[in-house]
Amino acid sequence: AQRVTQPEKLLSVFKGAPVELKCNYSYSGSPELFWYVQYSRQRLQLLLRHISRESIKGFTADLNKGETSFHLKKPFAQEEDSAMYYCALSGRDDYKLSFGAGTTVTVRA
Amino acid sequence: GVTQSPTHLIKTRGQQVTLRCSSQSGHNTVSWYQQALGQGPQFIFQYYREEENGRGNFPPRFSGLQFPNDSSELNVNALELDDSALYLCASSLGSGGSYEQYFGPGTRLTVT
C-alpha cells in the first residue's frame, strides 16, 4: 500500500527565515514524488517533482530513499509562500496519485 | 483550463448526483478526487480515452464517464452523509499519476 505522511498540519515562520515541510512516504515500488501547492483562492497546482531536480520559486526537495522522505525546503521564506502544501506520490507505471493531508504554511512579516 | 460544475450542490441522503468536468484541451486523461475537510485529495478513479483504467478505494456507487469532447462526469448513487466533500477533477496529458495533474476548482457537495 502507498502512503504519504505530512506530520505538520500548520507551520508558521517569519519572512526571511528558512522553512522546511516534512513528507514521509511508504511505497513498495519505484516512487515518483511531487509537491502540489494551493494558494488562497486558487486551484491546486504542481510546484515541483523530484525527477526534474529543479528549484521552483526558491523551493527544492530531495528524495531520500533510505529515509523514505521528500522534504520541501526554502532558505528564505517570503509572504507569498503562504499557502497549503501537499506532498504526493505515484509509481512510474501507476495510475494513482496519493496525497498527504497537507501543511498550511503562514509566513509572517 | 479545467472547469467544473456546479460550484456547490446540496443533496439529501439516498439521492443521486452527477458532477461535471471539462478537461484542458488536448488532455486524454481525467482523474477524480474526493477531498474531505482537513484532508488531502483522495483518488477515486481515472479515465483514459473514455475507459476507466484505475480506481481507488471507493465503492461501485461511485461511477464515471469520459466523453470524446473533453468532458467527463462523476456519478454518485445512494448518497451518504460521509459523501459530503469537495470533489476535484484533474486532467493530464497521459494516464498515470506521474503526469502533471491540472486541477479544476472543485464542486462542494453537501449531503443532508
Side-chain angles (χ1 to χ4, degrees):
Chain A
Q2 55 196 69
R3 187 180 180 86
V4 179
T5 303
Q6 294 180 250
E8 304 133 332
K9 274 282 191 188
L10 301 169
L11 203 55
S12 181
V13 298
F14 283 106
K15 178 181 172 181
V19 60
E20 181 179 31
L21 287 75
K22 291 185 168 47
C23 172
N24 290 91
Y25 69 90
S26 65
Y27 188 71
S28 56
S30 213
E32 296 199 17
L33 276 296
F34 310 84
W35 279 97
Y36 278 79
V37 62
Q38 186 166 24
Y39 301 102
S40 178
R41 289 184 293 279
Q42 294 187 28
R43 57 190 66 189
L44 195 57
Q45 60 186 291
L46 179 66
L47 178 63
L48 57 78
R49 55 199 306 163
H50 89 272
I51 58 172
S52 61
R53 293 188 165 273
E54 54 187 349
S55 173
I56 305 292
K57 299 184 178 183
F59 284 98
T60 58
D62 290 320
L63 177 60
N64 186 323
K65 292 188 177 181
E67 295 182 359
T68 60
S69 67
F70 187 57
H71 303 328
L72 182 69
K73 302 175 186 179
K74 185 170 182 176
F76 308 103
Q78 302 300 314
E79 289 180 74
E80 55 265 30
D81 297 328
S82 296
M84 173 71 93
Y85 292 81
Y86 294 96
C87 183
L89 172 153
S90 184
R92 189 161 299 142
D93 299 311
D94 195 350
Y95 54 84
K96 182 177 177 179
L97 184 63
S98 297
F99 286 85
T103 298
T104 302
V105 172
T106 302
V107 181
R108 295 175 287 168
Chain B
V2 179
T3 60
Q4 292 186 243
S5 63
T7 307
H8 297 90
L9 202 52
I10 300 175
K11 288 287 189 179
T12 303
R13 189 172 53 182
Q15 287 187 316
Q16 178 266 342
V17 68
T18 297
L19 310 182
R20 293 182 171 81
C21 172
S22 181
S23 298
Q24 189 153 315
S25 180
H27 286 186
N28 57 20
T29 303
V30 64
S31 301
W32 286 90
Y33 297 84
Q34 180 194 67
Q35 187 172 19
L37 206 59
Q39 300 296 319
Q42 298 295 309
F43 177 82
I44 301 175
F45 45 55
Q46 182 179 91
Y47 277 78
Y48 172 66
R49 294 183 175 174
E50 301 158 45
E51 292 200 6
E52 183 182 306
N53 75 330
R55 171 177 282 265
N57 191 25
F58 281 82
R61 59 189 185 83
F62 285 78
S63 64
L65 287 169
Q66 184 187 25
F67 304 102
N69 62 351
D70 294 337
S71 66
S72 58
E73 292 179 354
L74 164 66
N75 298 288
V76 187
N77 293 321
L79 282 167
E80 301 177 359
L81 296 179
D82 284 348
D83 296 333
S84 295
L86 180 69
Y87 288 85
L88 298 168
C89 79
S91 69
S92 55
L93 280 169
S95 69
S98 59
Y99 283 87
E100 179 174 354
Q101 306 288 299
Y102 292 78
F103 283 88
T107 293
R108 173 75 60 187
L109 172 65
T110 302
V111 182
T112 61

